């Protein structure tokens, strides 16, 4: 080996030695103490430090400062036990106090016990026992803890973990967040102390004075009192329950919105509204819903269904009003109807079928097509129609058609149409069946008269001041009143072009005959994709492989088996919760610490 190569080899060995030395952890340094005691039974490398009358013991190690009244320092193992009024500080942000602390300069893992308080700029954590891994910058407890944040409230849980780099808490098992406005309960809560953002996983509830929220995955902004919830989510507003694929909630505005597969249930008035987008204003007692909107008035005998482009339900529970507009339709088993708009007052039982002319829209229905109602083969149209129900009996009571009233029914056997028209129409119901109709003012009739054998007698075309029509089973009894003018004509002598009044408009093909028929004119619906929240991804346990490798490496460096056994870092079970340790108020002896840490 020549001289140059020999020098290179020597330099490389020196660099390797320096690098190996630099990677070794620094020794724990005792900055200040009152007096020190050596115990021959413990060995020369074990020193007990006691505070002075002026100040506590001050311990320093790689950016961490610790103060206590008494400390036992194991020099060879670079390990220290701190007793009584222990304070630990890392930088300007992390402060911890407790009755007892174990700290390893090799693993940089600390264990604190007895009235532990960890303080960071946004929150304060208190618990009985706490592990603090300085390498990963994480703290962990599993014996119940409490976190207090001024603007968010108080959070308690059986298990908790704090990530200092991201100011994030992960709370597990029996998690409860108590705020003056609400109480949040969940199985798991990820909470960011800087922003106040919370992420809930598993069955979760948020209960306030006037609302209760349930979800199995959700987000809540504790600073602004807003939330977003998915997966079996629902909101209860005292007398309303809102269910949807996704829900948004704003507590300050008393507002909630829902998207996709929505059901809003009125528990007091026994009504249900469905659709795919909804807005609920609790303070105004109003619900707005669209996208295949459907209102259902639940009745014991026969429910009433109303469908429109948009539905609004407003008013206090004792006086609710439903508004359906833009091509509104109604269906019952014995009655159905259509109008541009439907207005239903649930207290009075009045349902109005209205056309609001919207010119220059290209919608012929809103301008020309009048409101229409079908009942047992009878079609009734007019400029507006009022349907009155008996609220207590949940039965139809009467019907009023205002201006241009027109009643049409098909002839029982032929292809003709019975027709009655006039200025107004008043109908009466019994057992939800129309049994009496009065046509008032300028009444006209075209009627196919038949005998008891259903043989056509002739076609009656007459005028009078008023006409009364009564339904007696399959027969109709017609009475013309005041200024009667007309006659019955044989069918052969009655021109076909005269068999329909001006304005005749049979619309039987439009009649909804089932709930599904209410949607027959709707355009295909494309629901938005709910992005939602990312599913929970389990993270490695606090005592993961990397941490246990550090602990095992430290144990290998400890040549003193007796001392190593006395100061082994606790290794908890793999289960989520371990039995809560008993922490005595007095300063623990070394033997008691050993017993506790190896439980």
């Amino acid at each position: 080996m020549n001289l140059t190569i020999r020098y290179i080899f020597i330099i490389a060995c020196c660099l390797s030695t320096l690098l190996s030395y630099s990677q070794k952890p620094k020794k724990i340094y005792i900055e200040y103490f009152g007096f020190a005691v050596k115990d021959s039974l413990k060995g020369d490398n074990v020193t007990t430090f006691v505070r002075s009358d002026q100040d506590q013991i001050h311990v320093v190690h790689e950016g961490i400062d610790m103060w206590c009244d008494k400390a036992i320092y194991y020099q060879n193992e670079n390990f220290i036990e701190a007793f009584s009024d222990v304070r630990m500080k890392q930088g300007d942000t992390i402060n911890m106090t407790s009755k007892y602390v174990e700290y390893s300069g090799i693993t940089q893992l600390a264990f604190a016990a007895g009235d532990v308080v960890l303080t960071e700029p946004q929150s304060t954590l208190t618990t009985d026992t706490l592990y603090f891994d300085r390498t990963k910058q994480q703290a962990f407890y599993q014996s119940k803890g409490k976190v207090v944040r001024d603007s968010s409230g108080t959070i308690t849980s059986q298990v908790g973990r704090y990530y200092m780099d991201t100011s994030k808490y992960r709370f597990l098992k029996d998690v409860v967040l108590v705020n003056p406005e609400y109480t949040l309960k969940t199985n798991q809560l990820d909470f960011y102390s800087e922003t106040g953002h919370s992420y809930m996983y598993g069955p979760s509830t948020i209960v306030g004075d006037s609302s209760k929220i349930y979800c199995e995955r959700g987000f809540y902004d504790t600073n602004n009192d807003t939330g977003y919830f998915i997966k079996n989510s629902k909101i209860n507003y005292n007398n309303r329950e809102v269910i949807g694929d996704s829900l948004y909630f704003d507590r300050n505005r008393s507002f909630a919105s829902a998207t996709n597969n929505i059901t809003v249930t009125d528990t007091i008035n026994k009504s249900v509204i469905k659709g795919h987008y909804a807005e609920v204003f609790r303070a105004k007692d109003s619900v707005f819903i669209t996208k295949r909107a459907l209102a259902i008035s639940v009745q014991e005998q026969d429910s009433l269904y109303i469908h429109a482009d948009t539905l609004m339900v407003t008013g206090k529970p004792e006086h609710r009003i439903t508004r359906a507009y833009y091509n509104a339709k109604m269906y019952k088993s014995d009655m159905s109807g259509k109008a541009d708009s439907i207005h239903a007052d649930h207290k009075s039982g009045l349902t109005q079928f209205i056309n609001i002319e919207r010119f220059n829209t290209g919608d012929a229905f809103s301008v020309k097509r009048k409101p229409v109602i079908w009942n047992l083969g009878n079609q009734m149209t007019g400029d507006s129609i009022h349907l009155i129900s008996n609220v207590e009996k949940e039965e139809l009571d009467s019907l009023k058609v205002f201006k241009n009233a027109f009643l049409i029914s098909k002839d029982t056997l032929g292809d003709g149409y019975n027709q009655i028209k006039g200025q107004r129409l008043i109908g009466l119901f019994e057992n939800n069946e129309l049994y009496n109709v009065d046509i008032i003012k300028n009444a006209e009739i075209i009627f196919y008269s038949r005998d008891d054998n259903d043989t056509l007698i002739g076609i009656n075309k007459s005028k009078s001041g008023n006409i009364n029509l009564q339904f007696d089973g399959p027969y109709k009894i017609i009475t013309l009143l005041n200024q009667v003018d007309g006659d019955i004509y044989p069918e052969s002598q009655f021109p076909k072009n005269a068999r329909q009044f001006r304005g005749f408009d049979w619309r039987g093909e439009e009649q909804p005959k089932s709930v599904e028929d209410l949607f027959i004119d709707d355009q295909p619906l494309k629901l938005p994709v709910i992005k939602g929240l990312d599913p929970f991804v389990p993270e490695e346990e606090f005592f993961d492989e990397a941490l246990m490798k550090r602990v095992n490496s430290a144990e290998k460096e400890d040549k003193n088996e007796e001392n190593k056994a006395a100061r082994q870092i606790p290794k908890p079970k793999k289960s989520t919760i371990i039995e809560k340790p008993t922490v005595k108020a007095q300063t623990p002896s070394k033997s008691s610490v050993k017993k506790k840490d190896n439980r």
Side-chain angles (χ1 to χ4, degrees), residues 345-363:
D345 187 322
H346 300 276
K347 182 178 181 180
S348 65
L350 173 61
T351 301
Q352 303 177 59
F353 293 75
I354 309 166
N355 263 19
I356 302 174
E357 294 187 358
R358 300 188 305 278
F359 296 100
N360 301 321
T361 63
D363 183 359

Side-chain angles (χ1 to χ4, degrees), residues 549-561:
K549 185 176 181 180
R550 277 187 277 138
V551 173
N552 293 332
S553 297
E555 291 176 353
K556 289 180 181 178
E557 292 186 17
D558 190 350
K559 304 301 182 180
N560 189 326
E561 292 296 327

Side-chain angles (χ1 to χ4, degrees), residues 40 106 151 167 250 273 282 328 418 446 460 527 539 555 579:
S40 58
I106 299 175
S151 59
S167 297
D250 187 333
I273 309 174
R282 185 193 61 80
N418 299 313
I446 295 177
N460 183 347
L527 297 180
E539 297 183 12
E555 291 176 353
E579 184 179 355

Side-chain angles (χ1 to χ4, degrees), residues 288-293 307-311 324-329 522:
F288 165 92
I289 194 163
T290 187
K291 294 187 177 180
R292 293 180 71 86
H307 165 61
D309 176 77
T310 302
L311 290 173
Y325 46 93
Y326 306 145
N327 199 14
K329 302 176 185 178
D522 290 9

